[in-house]
Every structure is written in structure tokens, then in C-alpha cells.
Amino acid sequence: MHDYESYSEIYEAKSTRKARRRRFDDEAPARSRRPAPDLSALDERLGVDPDGPPEGDRWSTWDGAEHGPHPRPAWVVTEHAAVDSELGVIKTGKEADVHLVERAVPGTERRTLMAAKRFRTAEHRMFHRDAGYLEGRRVRRSRETRAMANRTAFGRDILAGQWANAEFAALSRVWADGIAVPYPVQCSGTELLLEFVGGDDGTAAPRLAQLRPDGDELCDLWHQLVDALLGLARHGLTHGDLSAYNLLVHDGRLVLIDLPQVVDVIGNPQGPEFMARDVRRIGDWFTARGLPPDVGTSEALLEELRVEVGMRGGEGMSHQ
């Protein structure tokens, strides 16, 4: 039997050993000193989203979006297996950017070009003087109304969605009536997908402001403009920001674009003034390029529009 000193020596020897921490079953095993082999070169899907489409940038957003009016054009791609590819920026602006997007069904010839209009949200400045445009537009919740009025980040997000929805609703309404506007394919949040007005190669149609039409072409474009504005007036509407920059000309056809601020001429107290301003601006452009007075004038066009919307004599004639 060991004596006291022997037991003490045994205890001291054990206490000097390094204690081993108990490893639990759910803990990862200690790393081996040998480095793990790099197998990334063998992964053919490295950096690829396993839930993403086989090609393109995203799956089609058709499912879940609000869709355009019937009869739907045959070129609209509605298949859920379709994918969207970003092809570049068409136009940038203070309120929205417009991108060129191709929607296609992989493995087929089904494909189409669209203009994706994406409204800016809380981090960007929205429409200048937008209060005038928003008169007559209301939201159901008082919290949202207050947020919009105070221009909080939440309120500006609501405004961005309102501009997209307002343009989509206006385009759907007037396109169905045969007015020359792009077909509204779908609306989802602050993104509006529209018919691309331009060539099959992705070249956008020029704006009216870029053209120098001769006499006959100028008169033809004026008559098309009158028809389009009378079409809006039949619905009690005016563009709200009409100029030669908001009109496209594709193969001789005049097309109205950029209608998020479309104004209800009767419902908005400033409606008659917006209509008069629209006519004055675009009329001045045609007059400056030699439109004969016997073909058309701003004054005569404004009077036609006033009659079409049912306004009493003298209303909307201010030229402030």
C-alpha cells in the first residue's frame, strides 16, 4: 500500500495533465490539420442560383401581377416558364427609369421586347409639384394619407406605387378605346411593363422633339395628335405633362407615352388648367415648325377638348 506521500505524487501527476473538453453530439468535429481539398472546380453550378431560370435574369413576373386589358395582343408572352432578360436602359428620369426587357420561353421561338418602367421609391425625389396631380386621388387608410402628405419614406413608397398604378389604369382604359398608347402588359408594385415602341433590334422609336417633319408629315402628325387628345377627353382626361418629349413616332404613327400624372379634368380642381397647359405646350411646338393656321391652332384644339369633356364656355382658357 502506498503511503501519504505516494498518493500525493499520484494526484499531482494527474492534475498536470491537460484537461480534455467533452464534445457534445451536435458539435462539429475538431478541424483536421490536413487542409480540405478544393472541390469548387468540380461544381458546374458554382455561383448559380439553384432556383433561378436556366437562362436570362429572372423568371417571368407575369404570375401574380395585374394584367392588361383584353383583347390581349398575340405578342404578349404569358407562359409561366418564360424568363426575363435585361437588355439595357432606354431612358432615365427624375421619377422613373425605363429598361429594355426581353421575355422569352426557353427552347421556343416565343419572345418579345418590352419597356420596363420602374418608378423610384423612398430614396429618390418624386414628381415636382405632385400635389396638384394627386388632387382627387385618395387611399383608403388614413395612415397612408398622412404618410403621403408628410412625404415620409413610407409615404413616398406609396406614392411610387400610386404613380405606377395610375399610369397602368389610364393606359388600360384608353388603349381599350383605340387611343394610340403603348399596350400595358402588366403592373407589379412599382414596375410597369409596356409594349416596346421601336424596332425588333431594340432601337427605340424617336421622340417627336427629335424630328424635323416636312409640311405633309407635320400636318398628319397634328391630326393624329388631335385624335389622341380627343380620345383622352372622351374619358374626361388630359395628359398632364404633354410635350414633344412625351410623344413617340414609329413608322409614321404618333404614340402618347408617360401618363402617370394623367389628370381628371373635371374631378381635379386644377384639371382645366392642366389641359390648357398641355395644349399650349404642344401647340407651340407645331406652330414653331410651320403648322398652317388653317390646319390647326392651340385655341381651336382647346375648344374642341372643352366641348368633348362637357365644360361650360370659358373654362380652361387661362394661359397662365
Side-chain angles (χ1 to χ4, degrees):
M1 181 176 177
H2 296 286
D3 56 13
Y4 178 82
E5 288 77 9
S6 298
Y7 279 114
S8 176
E9 290 174 0
I10 294 172
Y11 175 78
E12 289 178 359
K14 287 183 176 181
S15 65
T16 58
R17 295 175 184 173
K18 186 176 181 181
R20 296 179 61 186
R21 189 173 68 87
R22 184 179 178 184
R23 186 171 67 82
F24 295 93
D25 292 340
D26 59 350
E27 290 183 339
R31 292 183 179 178
S32 170
R33 293 183 179 179
R34 180 184 300 175
D38 183 8
L39 302 178
S40 61
L42 304 177
D43 186 358
E44 296 180 354
R45 299 192 305 167
L46 183 65
V48 177
D49 181 1
D51 297 323
E55 59 185 59
D57 296 300
R58 67 180 185 183
W59 290 107
S60 166
T61 55
W62 175 263
D63 189 29
E66 188 175 357
H67 301 152
H70 289 277
R72 188 176 295 145
W75 56 262
V76 177
V77 176
T78 63
E79 289 86 341
H80 291 177
V83 297
D84 294 345
S85 300
E86 300 282 339
L87 301 182
V89 178
I90 299 174
K91 184 189 78 165
T92 61
K94 297 186 298 295
E95 294 84 27
D97 295 329
V98 182
H99 300 250
L100 182 63
V101 172
E102 182 189 64
R103 176 165 290 174
V105 181
T108 74
E109 296 299 318
R110 286 279 288 159
R111 59 189 62 244
T112 190
L113 293 176
M114 297 180 294
K117 188 171 186 177
R118 294 161 185 164
F119 287 85
R120 299 179 185 274
T121 50
E123 68 274 17
H124 296 284
R125 182 169 68 91
M126 288 302 294
F127 287 84
H128 58 270
R129 302 188 305 276
D130 60 357
Y133 294 113
L134 291 170
E135 289 196 59
R137 297 188 195 175
R138 297 291 181 266
V139 293
R140 295 181 179 180
R141 298 179 181 87
S142 59
R143 173 175 174 258
E144 295 179 355
T145 303
R146 289 195 302 271
M148 288 166 57
N150 295 331
R151 294 302 189 272
T152 64
F154 173 60
R156 292 196 299 273
D157 284 343
I158 297 173
L159 283 171
Q162 272 213 336
W163 291 120
N165 289 327
E167 182 163 18
F168 181 76
L171 288 172
S172 298
R173 183 178 173 186
V174 301
W175 183 90
D177 194 29
I179 299 169
V181 296
Y183 177 76
V185 177
Q186 67 176 63
C187 182
S188 179
T190 58
E191 182 186 69
L192 186 61
L193 293 184
L194 305 168
E195 173 187 359
F196 173 67
V197 182
D200 294 337
D201 61 352
T203 302
R207 290 176 172 79
L208 178 63
Q210 299 173 259
L211 303 182
R212 295 294 180 266
D214 59 27
D216 290 340
E217 185 181 6
L218 187 71
C219 293
D220 179 61
L221 291 171
W222 173 262
H223 291 309
Q224 291 187 57
L225 173 70
V226 171
D227 289 343
L229 296 185
L230 285 172
L232 290 180
R234 283 197 303 273
H235 294 271
L237 303 174
T238 191
H239 186 283
D241 192 29
L242 186 62
S243 73
Y245 291 94
N246 289 331
L247 292 162
L248 301 180
V249 180
H250 181 54
D251 293 337
R253 179 172 178 256
L254 191 75
V255 181
L256 283 169
I257 61 169
D258 292 339
L259 278 81
Q261 70 292 308
V262 65
V263 174
D264 183 336
V265 178
I266 303 302
N268 187 319
Q270 300 180 51
E273 294 299 326
F274 279 117
M275 187 171 71
R277 188 182 69 179
D278 281 349
V279 172
R280 182 175 67 254
R281 276 183 181 175
I282 197 61
D284 287 348
W285 188 91
F286 275 88
T287 299
R289 278 147 188 82
L291 183 71
D294 59 330
V295 173
T297 64
S298 298
E299 292 75 13
L301 174 56
L302 184 56
E303 181 61 28
E304 283 188 78
L305 298 178
R306 288 175 52 252
V307 171
E308 192 65 44
V309 298
M311 292 167 57
R312 295 188 300 273
E315 289 184 301
M317 295 301 292
S318 170
H319 285 253
Q320 297 179 355

